[in-house]
Amino acid sequence: MPLESYQIAQYNQQHEVAHRRKFEFLAEELGSETTERILGKLIDFQIAIPSWALGTGGTRFGRFAGGGEPRNLEEKIADVGLLHALNRSSGAISLHIPWDIPTDGEAIKQLAASYGLVFDAMNSNTFQDQPNQELSYKFGSLQHTDAAVRTQAINHNIDVIRYGEALGSKSLTVWLSDGSSFPGQLNFRKAFQRTLEGLQEIYAALPADWKIFVEYKAFEPNFYSTTVGDWGQSFLYASKLGPKAYTLVDLGHHLPNANIEQIVSLLLMEEKLGGFHFNDSKYGDDDLTAGSIKPYQLFLIFNELVDGMDTRGMNHASDLGWMIDASHNVKDPLEDLLQSVEAIKLAYAQALLVDRLALEEARTNNDVAAAQELLQNAFRTDLRPLLAEARLRADAALNPVGLYRELSLRNKLIEARGLKAVATGL
Amino acid sequence: MPLESYQIAQYNQQHEVAHRRKFEFLAEELGSETTERILGKLIDFQIAIPSWALGTGGTRFGRFAGGGEPRNLEEKIADVGLLHALNRSSGAISLHIPWDIPTDGEAIKQLAASYGLVFDAMNSNTFQDQPNQELSYKFGSLQHTDAAVRTQAINHNIDVIRYGEALGSKSLTVWLSDGSSFPGQLNFRKAFQRTLEGLQEIYAALPADWKIFVEYKAFEPNFYSTTVGDWGQSFLYASKLGPKAYTLVDLGHHLPNANIEQIVSLLLMEEKLGGFHFNDSKYGDDDLTAGSIKPYQLFLIFNELVDGMDTRGMNHASDLGWMIDASHNVKDPLEDLLQSVEAIKLAYAQALLVDRLALEEARTNNDVAAAQELLQNAFRTDLRPLLAEARLRADAALNPVGLYRELSLRNKLIEARGLKAVATGL
Amino acid sequence: MPLESYQIAQYNQQHEVAHRRKFEFLAEELGSETTERILGKLIDFQIAIPSWALGTGGTRFGRFAGGGEPRNLEEKIADVGLLHALNRSSGAISLHIPWDIPTDGEAIKQLAASYGLVFDAMNSNTFQDQPNQELSYKFGSLQHTDAAVRTQAINHNIDVIRYGEALGSKSLTVWLSDGSSFPGQLNFRKAFQRTLEGLQEIYAALPADWKIFVEYKAFEPNFYSTTVGDWGQSFLYASKLGPKAYTLVDLGHHLPNANIEQIVSLLLMEEKLGGFHFNDSKYGDDDLTAGSIKPYQLFLIFNELVDGMDTRGMNHASDLGWMIDASHNVKDPLEDLLQSVEAIKLAYAQALLVDRLALEEARTNNDVAAAQELLQNAFRTDLRPLLAEARLRADAALNPVGLYRELSLRNKLIEARGLKAVATGL
Amino acid sequence: MPLESYQIAQYNQQHEVAHRRKFEFLAEELGSETTERILGKLIDFQIAIPSWALGTGGTRFGRFAGGGEPRNLEEKIADVGLLHALNRSSGAISLHIPWDIPTDGEAIKQLAASYGLVFDAMNSNTFQDQPNQELSYKFGSLQHTDAAVRTQAINHNIDVIRYGEALGSKSLTVWLSDGSSFPGQLNFRKAFQRTLEGLQEIYAALPADWKIFVEYKAFEPNFYSTTVGDWGQSFLYASKLGPKAYTLVDLGHHLPNANIEQIVSLLLMEEKLGGFHFNDSKYGDDDLTAGSIKPYQLFLIFNELVDGMDTRGMNHASDLGWMIDASHNVKDPLEDLLQSVEAIKLAYAQALLVDRLALEEARTNNDVAAAQELLQNAFRTDLRPLLAEARLRADAALNPVGLYRELSLRNKLIEARGLKAVATGL
């Protein structure tokens, strides 16, 4: 690892005075109880890093590689380890099969553990054809009219579960790109039924303590219909599958102007919210850095999460799956991921700051202006010193991007791996 | 009534030769079995006219009255009677309480029967405050935090059911404008629960042979969240309510680019599709003439309806509620309604023409180009002669708008009712 | 006026210690030069209040009046005077003819001056028919095919200019709702040409030191096309008209996902940006409180404004027209306006805080992550103490909404004007 | 070529009786003057095929090759030749550099001529990095902060012009993907200015009889801003460049719900419409078959084109550039292109059928219902027999897709080129 713990300590020492001044001012404003309550939650909170986000992504028009990208699973784990050392909030990695097949599961597990990492949800891939794949997913996988293709896709998902078991993962995320690009192409009802049957077979293969997350997406790569197209459809599948099945919300997978926070709230109410893929977007599934376009929306989502989870007595750190799912086209992927984690935790901290009693009172009285003020008050408060303090207490860097740049870590990765190293993924 | 049956007969006689030529050419193209099958369905198909669509509508910026609008329920019934006489496809009227309170139900029922009309779904109104209303719906109705407001709204809906029973209606449409305009204003889960409880009380008051339709809408008049905001939420309510509860789809109540035909298909699959509010739109709930903006989408919706209803053995004419819900700002409302009915029946006829066996075969083979051709072939065929023939056989006018204009019926209505007559409604 | 200056002083005294602590911490963080630079700009910055925003607005579905609304122009001016006393940032009022005809211009001007108010842009209305109006705008005004209607609309605009001259206003805002609701209704090119000719006649009537603002809007109340539909069309008109004509940007008048800040930047580049109508929205022209839905977007717009105006050497306070244009359906209008002004000034302060040299350097180096951090750093900093300090120095209330509520000013207005008072407007 | 002219003749002979019956019925309906007028226009009308649309396209998630794709420029020309033989409406090919570098221009020109093909607009590519390219377009091309990158992009465009001159092309289409993915990344005004300067250098290199088309696109592959983002921006560039510069409209490059037909109309009015990229879409730049999603919109666009071009006395066949730009993911590209050409010509024929005198009269009278009927009447008339007759007279196949399938032409291409042949392109 190109980063030693003494370097973090040294860096923090240099910046501690400035930090201390801000933190103490804020802590006095908030009061120590609130301060410690939020700090505790922030320290516990971990956001999984997907293995495919460590390299430069691309669009259908081109891909501009960055240099020093991880060339194999071991290097991907090392990169997540580096992120986790910097922020102590990225203690999990989410693998994608077949891009990251762990041929020796035990060794990989130990390697991850050496960085303090565990394995989050496993991800299957039935939206691409692999070089030696027998049957094509050109016309879908679980929805396919040909039973042999469906069986291939089901078996692939079961394989992914098996890989995950070896690594200690406890969940499978199924994102199906299945759908149609032209009116007439698909019998919607039959496609739904075939997909449901396929999911049922996969569900049957789940270990007792596993969950399955059914992800939905409004469009792309199919441009007319998607067979798991919105939260309503995902909810239908999850309800029919059983108690281990949940809906997964990717922030970029909605139609324009969708009220995502309300969807989140209702899924929590129905006990079917499984987890999140965080990113931000302006137009479609743009896969931009979390919080870079609509930070207030991110806060509003966390506002519903905190409220709904508390109402159900859920554990913030472990009862939902938290993952970034972004694509890094014009930034260093590691810097981008650090920025995403920071934005997510900031929104979480702001949501934890909301005065819920006062908010419910304002709601009861239909005092709309006061309800707005209560949310905006939390959002406008600068809570970055809390995040820094949480990192300091967890032995992470006060400013992860700052230290990453000061130590020229990207250059070190390029020296080690080369300028032309390209990670597997999109 | 300003229109006598001999006038229709005369008009048809004048245009019959031209019609006959087109119809015979088409009938030969289609074959007599197909021709008669579609004709039979078209003759049976009736689309309800909402009582509030008979006057000039408006926007929040202004309303430009047209002249000769119906001044009371009797005149509204007369207008629908006129439409039905012209096209024999508008044999039902959908009332809105309190805009159209039938003080003497039996007399109103007989008046309607004299025009060959029955009463379709009853509509309640908890989105406006009426002059002598005790409590305000400013902050919602069934979602309201104040139980007294909820009770008022529940009682109003039960009143509407009672009015409907007297008229022979068999269903209640509940459109709730409930929601919020600002983040923080509403506890989404509590609003859902309160709304559900209210609906349950209304459901309990339904006669045995009635249905309740839960309409959804993405936005407007609330601009942040809506408490029945999409098909998924409506489906949740309808499922929790029971077998008499259904989802109602208004074509203008979706987010941009929504695939409405897929929603229709899935609701049919789940046996929860209750009916339709037809209109067209480009931006939001624009309430334009059906088929005036996206006629192919209208056809695709009917394509799913025909397919899904046939699969379930449903009766096209009676097992779903068919209604227009449009607002007429720049056209004569009666002409506009005639255009809407024509567009809806055209889409229906096109859907009936689709070669379903060939379509399913193309789908099975993933022959996307062929599937597209099959749909486009039906859509591109000019089926207007079939619609005219269905009218001819039902003693309606070959060209309803043509006859309406030839007889200057609007002028007659203005003479009878005045230029400043303004109908109740939006 | 229900508010005396001693009450403000008293209120501020009570809250000054808490304020001082926050302000001093912030001032030390920012350094005194930055602090004073931003404070100076904030004190100068004035946002005009439209006369029609002082009452409860509505939607096409209903209007729920609030109580104590101003019943005439004098009371509207008093309400703006009250806002200005509370925040010292609302020192201008924007009138709408014919809702606010100043029969005695001089007296109205003196009344406004007594509150420290001047008259901002005058607004004409050719989107509604007034009771005694000769010709209808049902099919548009300046675009109308009938020359008499166009002449009526032109003359109305010239009347509005004359009223404005008497009040010391220096600009005319022309918002045309002209357009069409159905394909075929309008010859787009002829409508453009007729509209241009009408604007040219109005332009010719402008006093030498006046500006005309051509507002654009994508849709509503016309739902197929709008004759001044986007910035490109407004720019075409403004270019053809001449140097006194400018484009006016209303934040709610765009298609979904539009990049408004880029539009602002380009209009500044072309010297054709005239001013703003501030509000916020999620779906369409929702007319919500500024900054209540997308505060980061509001900041990004100000970021372009500060940058572009500085580049051109423009005066922030006077070279553009700044106005709120919102509709208040579920809040007290005065509270809502105070919240809007606060959000606008916060965004402005954040934009003033951006380190522009560092930003340009990051851009030059394509250091996207750094550019993002620079903007987010400004946005995440809690600058509310600066806004409070600016108010304190200007003898406004430290917390305008707080004082407004503490003194129960709405109740006092209701006592004076009655519960059923309804303001003219939408 | 796998298709001989005798095969077309044979095929047409088999289907001529059925065709003749339909055509004669239609011709009698329309009258011979109208029939012949439209037929003449249809026979003349040619839609260019882009060289990159001949292979299976893809999305960022995957690409599923079809088999028998053209492996080089010669085979691409052969494929367009095949299309043209089938429909006699695809008599031009549009090349993309560097995917289709014509090393021997004269030979390529003669090869194309042997199929009856000419060369339409040349397309440059500065949105991807080529293997041996010196500088990267990761951060844009003409907008780039580094002058060396800009120079490289300018020189590339000039190279493309030179290639085009050798082939007899007369225009250059410049689509710039330049923009930004994150707020802060770009100085919008400087990016505009740099881009303008680059375009000016390219413009200066244009031969006297050439045009340059400046294409705009709202988003993708950049997801925050685009430097030529809408028609207004393209118009600004084109106006500043001079009379040889025009705007190019790609139907998929707009924000949701944009009124494209109005844009087309205004660009024609301003004499700045250069040409079209046809495709269809539901969500974004979906690049689906023309007319497959919104055929009525396609008709409305042609309605404006016919009207605007006639008003200006423009030649329908040659004064604008007509090109398909689609991506074929789930269909045989050649079948897809045949379907697109058919849909475009159908929309054109419908637009030619509109009774323009009656339409203008309805508009003058604000008879909105009549205006709608006039457009719908043209759209609902089944004009496919006219298209077939135009093909028959031009020695093309009565049903191009039908003959293509009957002769198993795809299989012949696969036999000749192999199953794994992959065309250059996206």
Side-chain angles (χ1 to χ4, degrees), chain A residues 96-99 125 128-134 137:
Chain A
H96 184 285
I97 305 298
W99 297 337
N125 178 339
Q128 290 182 317
D129 288 349
Q130 305 304 325
N132 298 313
Q133 188 177 307
E134 196 180 349
Y137 295 129

Side-chain angles (χ1 to χ4, degrees), chain A residues 21 29 331 367 372, chain C residues 21 29 331 367 372 405:
Chain A
R21 181 179 176 278
E29 286 291 305
K331 290 188 201 163
D367 188 346
Q372 178 182 322
Chain C
R21 181 179 177 275
E29 285 292 304
K331 291 189 202 163
D367 187 345
Q372 177 182 321
R405 291 195 159 202

Side-chain angles (χ1 to χ4, degrees), chain B residues 373-385:
Chain B
E373 293 266 310
L374 283 160
L375 291 194
Q376 288 186 332
N377 183 51
F379 181 73
R380 289 169 175 171
T381 303
D382 188 348
L383 296 179
R384 290 176 297 172

Side-chain angles (χ1 to χ4, degrees), chain D residues 178-379:
Chain D
D178 293 36
S180 67
S181 276
F182 293 96
Q185 180 182 343
L186 212 61
N187 184 312
F188 296 133
R189 289 173 291 110
K190 290 184 182 172
F192 186 99
Q193 296 298 348
R194 291 189 297 258
T195 302
L196 177 60
E197 287 165 27
L199 288 171
Q200 283 166 335
E201 292 200 39
I202 297 165
Y203 188 90
L206 281 178
D209 58 348
W210 273 53
K211 296 177 181 175
I212 182 171
F213 300 139
V214 182
E215 191 169 354
Y216 62 89
K217 184 172 185 181
F219 60 95
E220 195 212 23
N222 273 296
F223 293 112
Y224 171 61
S225 75
T226 303
T227 299
V228 193
D230 60 14
W231 79 268
Q233 291 170 62
S234 172
F235 176 82
L236 265 188
Y237 288 110
S239 298
K240 290 171 193 283
L241 285 172
K244 290 190 279 186
Y246 295 86
T247 291
L248 186 136
V249 177
D250 182 306
L251 299 190
H253 288 192
H254 301 81
L255 292 176
N257 307 334
N259 187 323
I260 303 174
E261 49 270 34
Q262 187 181 14
I263 293 171
V264 164
S265 169
L266 297 178
L267 285 170
L268 271 170
M269 180 183 78
E270 295 294 312
E271 304 187 54
K272 279 299 185 191
L273 183 67
F276 274 90
H277 280 181
F278 290 109
N279 51 56
D280 212 336
S281 60
K282 189 169 174 64
Y283 304 102
D285 189 27
D286 307 343
D287 276 338
L288 303 179
T289 319
S292 64
I293 303 288
K294 301 175 197 151
Y296 195 54
Q297 185 194 55
L298 187 60
F299 160 71
L300 293 173
I301 291 168
F302 268 99
N303 184 47
E304 295 303 326
L305 284 167
V306 167
D307 196 61
M309 294 181 81
D310 287 353
T311 302
R312 297 219 157 275
M314 293 166 77
N315 182 319
H316 289 206
S318 62
D319 281 355
L320 289 184
W322 311 99
M323 196 177 99
I324 290 170
D325 184 9
S327 181
H328 312 296
N329 303 334
V330 291
K331 290 188 202 163
D332 178 327
L334 296 182
E335 292 189 2
D336 201 332
L337 289 163
L338 291 171
Q339 289 184 317
S340 276
V341 171
E342 180 83 0
I344 293 165
K345 297 195 79 166
L346 189 58
Y348 179 39
Q350 291 162 340
L352 289 168
L353 186 61
V354 171
D355 182 340
R356 301 214 164 267
L357 284 179
L359 183 61
E360 283 306 315
E361 195 192 338
R363 288 167 168 175
T364 301
N365 300 328
N366 295 305
D367 188 346
V368 183
Q372 178 182 320
E373 293 266 310
L374 284 160
L375 291 194
Q376 288 186 334
N377 182 52
F379 181 72

Side-chain angles (χ1 to χ4, degrees), chain B residues 45 63 130 182 184 196 257 332 356 363 368-369 391 410:
Chain B
F45 196 63
R63 178 170 170 168
Q130 305 305 325
F182 293 96
L196 176 60
N257 307 335
D332 179 327
R356 300 212 166 268
R363 287 165 169 178
V368 182
R391 277 193 292 269
R410 175 55 60 189

Side-chain angles (χ1 to χ4, degrees), chain A residues 215-220 228-232 234 247-264 267 273 275-277 279 281-286 294 297 301, chain B residues 230 255-258, chain C residues 257 282, chain D residues 256 283:
Chain A
E215 192 168 354
Y216 62 88
K217 184 172 185 180
F219 60 93
E220 195 211 22
V228 194
D230 61 14
W231 78 270
S234 172
T247 291
L248 186 135
V249 177
D250 181 305
L251 300 188
H253 289 192
H254 301 81
L255 292 176
N257 307 335
N259 187 323
I260 303 174
E261 50 271 33
Q262 186 181 15
I263 292 171
V264 164
L267 285 170
L273 183 66
F276 274 90
H277 280 181
N279 50 58
S281 60
K282 189 169 175 62
Y283 304 102
D285 189 28
D286 307 343
K294 301 176 197 152
Q297 184 194 54
I301 290 168
Chain B
D230 62 13
L255 292 176
N257 307 335
Chain C
N257 306 334
K282 189 168 174 65
Chain D
Y283 304 102

